[in-house]
Amino acid sequence: MTRPDVLDTLVSLAKRRGFIFQSSEIYGGTGSVWDYGPLGVELKHNVKARWWNAMVRERDDVEGLDAAILMHPRVWEASGHVSGFSDPLVDCKACKARFRADKLGDAACPRKPSKKPGEHADCELTEPRQFNLMFKTFMGPVEESASVVYLRPETAQGIFVNFLNVQQATRQKVPFGIAQIGKAFRNEITPGNFIFRTREFEQMEMQYFVEPGTDMEWFERWKEARLQWHLGLGLDRDRLQFHQHTDTELAHYARAAFDINFDFGGTLGFQEIEGVHNRSDFDLRQHQAFSSKKLEYVDQVQNKRYLPYVIETSVGADRVTLAILVNALREEAVEGEQEGRTVLGFHPALAPIKAGVFPLTKKDGQPEMAERLAAALRKRFPVFYDEAGAIGRRYRRQDEAGTPFGITIDGDSTANDDVTIRFRDDMGQIRVATSQVAEVLTRYLEADHPRADSRLVG
Ligand code: ATP
């Protein structure tokens, strides 16, 4: 079954509601670079916080790191990026468009989008040539080859070069891991599909250092753990698949690699959102050779030294955010109403705003009571106060922002000191004492339970 293509709908919803804007839009935009607006920054922040909690805070065998984007240029020689981080590029002499030679099947001929590049009578594709994807710049005031530095194309190398620093500072014993979240830059030949492939993006990477011989066992464990993490975000099970790298896809140093693919729908279909790789001791061995510094781990229990193998989990924060948006988007009819509704049915933990607070009318003390409640709730989570327009409209606006709970203060509220909580997903409602609202919502958020089920009340 091909799922519908919702990217165009999402691009306009994301702009209208302030999730994601095109970078430098007033100047016509920058090629495939995007800015996160007020709701988008919260959503992506929640994704990153969930990853950080799962990978660092909830484990005692993984340490956090925040390495710099600019690194010594030798790092990229050792890692193989200077000589090998390239994609095959083909030009079309007829229309001047450029394509990745290995992704022609996913591209469209600009003259006739129903055809692939090369299929139209006018197409004149050149032979592929290698194009290095690293952005280059200069460190210091002189623009000469000796001062060339690169914007990192992945965060992983910051972890490899700090392997011993972290190990010695924390006294971790192998097996242990180092995790970080940060920006990466790739001068992609054919970026596109909204935030799926961009030239500036964020990665969440973890390198887990293990004793050689135990690597495949750890590889399997991490593969499973990472799939579970994606399921925990609320991504549908049948939209997730493993893809095993074939011999031709596998990097020469890798012992095994699986991608976790998500079904984005439409022609994009299943695409990688995360890679889980067994990188052997390739990276540490290369850095040891290029830096002439010993990077061996000293195993005092077994009285031996070795270069650990590395299991890497590498996931794009932006790509997962796109998967979450695609997975969450629903356009549905509402019984008894002419207009349907658009809902972003986010997992409550990811929702940018947790609750909308709405006085039914602008009189009789309702706005004051609502503002007091909103201020109290803001101490726990992001809240949106809205007194403008019909209540149905206000609910719809929050459905579209993915807000799981709506709290309405009506005529009875001021008399009885209670409010209605309305649930985004089933639109069910419960009545709760004002003093209990914060507790009840926290319980629902912790239970991942955005439905009107009164079992969680009281
Ligand atoms: P692709 O084959 O799609 O170019 P890759 O195999 O080069 O990806 P990795 O180097 O394994 O990707 O990067 C790990 C993760 O970083 C990817 O799974 C993806 O989520 C994210 N990522 C990589 N490149 C981009 C990009 N240009 N824009 C957004 N996210 C990216």
Side-chain angles (χ1 to χ4, degrees):
M1 175 191 76
T2 307
R3 291 189 166 86
D5 187 343
V6 295
L7 283 195
D8 287 347
T9 314
L10 269 182
V11 172
S12 67
L13 170 66
K15 177 175 176 192
R16 187 159 37 84
R17 296 313 313 266
F19 281 93
I20 299 165
F21 308 121
Q22 196 179 11
S23 160
S24 322
E25 193 186 356
I26 58 168
Y27 288 98
T30 321
S32 278
V33 186
W34 298 88
D35 297 340
Y36 287 76
L39 295 184
V41 66
E42 289 287 343
L43 175 63
K44 189 157 97 156
H45 172 82
N46 292 340
V47 172
K48 291 187 285 184
R50 247 179 120 76
W51 186 87
W52 193 257
N53 280 342
M55 301 298 275
V56 181
R57 297 213 172 143
E58 291 168 16
R59 305 184 62 105
D60 63 1
D61 60 345
V62 178
E63 302 288 345
L65 183 74
D66 183 10
I69 289 171
L70 300 176
M71 301 183 74
H72 195 289
R74 291 276 283 166
V75 166
W76 307 109
E77 290 171 32
S79 67
H81 283 82
V82 171
S83 59
F85 192 58
S86 48
D87 278 338
L89 166 77
V90 292
D91 291 284
C92 178
K93 287 186 180 160
C95 69
K96 310 284 178 236
R98 296 192 146 160
F99 309 98
R100 250 173 84 170
D102 58 336
K103 301 259 178 191
L104 285 179
D106 297 342
C109 169
R111 295 227 166 134
K112 192 148 182 38
S114 60
K115 291 190 181 288
K116 309 280 173 221
E119 288 177 0
H120 189 274
D122 295 348
C123 293
E124 232 186 300
L125 299 186
T126 59
E127 282 301 305
R129 60 196 160 90
Q130 290 302 321
F131 172 75
N132 194 297
L133 301 184
M134 281 200 293
F135 280 93
K136 262 188 202 171
T137 185
F138 301 95
M139 177 104 60
V142 188
E143 294 194 9
E144 58 181 17
S145 57
S147 58
V148 164
V149 289
Y150 300 96
L151 300 189
R152 67 180 175 199
E154 61 176 31
T155 59
Q157 300 304 323
I159 290 181
F160 293 125
V161 300
N162 277 299
F163 160 65
L164 275 190
N165 282 341
V166 174
Q167 191 271 322
Q168 287 163 0
T170 60
R171 300 188 1 258
Q172 283 280 3
K173 295 188 174 45
V174 166
F176 78 97
I178 306 176
Q180 75 168 330
I181 299 176
K183 290 259 179 170
F185 302 83
R186 295 183 188 178
N187 203 358
E188 299 276 5
I189 296 169
T190 44
N193 291 311
F194 197 21
I195 52 169
F196 176 81
R197 189 180 301 285
T198 54
R199 293 191 169 112
E200 172 178 344
F201 55 99
E202 261 182 300
Q203 286 188 315
M204 308 187 283
E205 293 198 296
M206 193 275 315
Q207 269 66 38
Y208 200 74
F209 300 90
V210 305
E211 189 179 347
T214 64
D215 47 310
M216 282 315 289
E217 183 194 323
W218 280 107
F219 179 74
E220 289 302 326
R221 279 208 220 177
W222 277 112
K223 219 179 98 191
E224 190 49 36
R226 295 306 304 148
L227 177 66
Q228 290 306 322
W229 184 79
H230 288 283
L231 290 171
L233 297 177
L235 297 183
D236 295 342
R237 180 65 191 89
D238 59 355
R239 292 189 94 129
L240 289 167
Q241 261 176 19
F242 279 121
H243 163 76
Q244 180 171 16
H245 282 212
T246 57
D247 288 349
T248 47
E249 290 171 286
L250 210 55
H252 65 92
Y253 51 81
R255 296 200 61 210
F258 273 78
D259 294 336
I260 298 176
N261 287 0
F262 173 80
D263 185 2
F264 288 90
T267 48
L268 201 53
F270 277 95
Q271 296 286 342
E272 170 184 343
I273 51 175
E274 170 151 5
V276 183
H277 311 126
N278 179 344
R279 298 180 66 104
S280 72
D281 61 2
F282 173 78
D283 306 270
L284 290 180
R285 191 168 291 286
Q286 288 289 100
H287 286 304
Q288 182 166 271
F290 276 68
S291 67
S292 308
K293 296 273 175 350
K294 274 244 170 299
L295 295 179
E296 284 172 338
Y297 170 71
V298 182
D299 185 333
Q300 281 162 344
V301 178
Q302 298 188 69
N303 198 19
K304 61 179 186 184
R305 323 170 142 253
Y306 57 86
L307 282 178
Y309 272 27
V310 169
I311 309 303
E312 165 181 87
T313 70
S314 173
V315 55
D318 312 86
R319 229 179 246 187
V320 171
T321 301
L322 181 60
I324 289 164
L325 284 164
V326 168
N327 196 83
L329 183 70
R330 299 201 304 267
E331 287 179 304
E332 57 191 29
V334 180
E335 221 183 285
E337 285 186 29
Q338 280 195 322
E339 271 179 51
R341 63 173 193 155
T342 303
V343 186
L344 283 174
F346 298 130
H347 183 305
L350 299 175
I353 301 168
K354 306 301 181 201
V357 177
F358 316 116
L360 196 59
T361 65
K362 288 189 198 168
K363 49 184 202 269
D364 302 333
Q366 290 177 25
E368 292 76 8
M369 182 176 170
E371 296 220 44
R372 271 197 309 278
L373 180 59
L377 294 177
R378 276 196 192 104
K379 296 206 164 76
R380 303 211 189 193
F381 36 70
V383 167
F384 187 77
Y385 176 84
D386 187 4
E387 57 177 33
I391 189 71
R393 276 265 147 83
R394 286 182 265 166
Y395 286 150
R396 296 288 175 272
R397 283 202 286 263
Q398 290 311 305
D399 288 344
E400 220 181 34
T403 306
F405 309 108
I407 303 165
T408 309
I409 285 82
D410 56 23
D412 292 338
S413 300
T414 42
N416 303 339
D417 206 12
D418 59 6
V419 302
T420 298
I421 300 180
R422 179 248 192 202
F423 293 77
R424 175 197 67 202
D425 289 337
D426 62 2
M427 294 187 283
Q429 305 197 348
I430 56 173
R431 196 83 188 170
V432 173
T434 316
S435 60
Q436 281 202 335
V437 174
E439 264 328 297
V440 169
L441 290 195
T442 304
R443 235 176 289 152
Y444 272 100
L445 286 169
E446 283 171 2
D448 294 341
H449 204 298
R451 290 177 185 278
D453 179 334
S454 53
R455 276 177 308 157
L456 288 173
V457 182

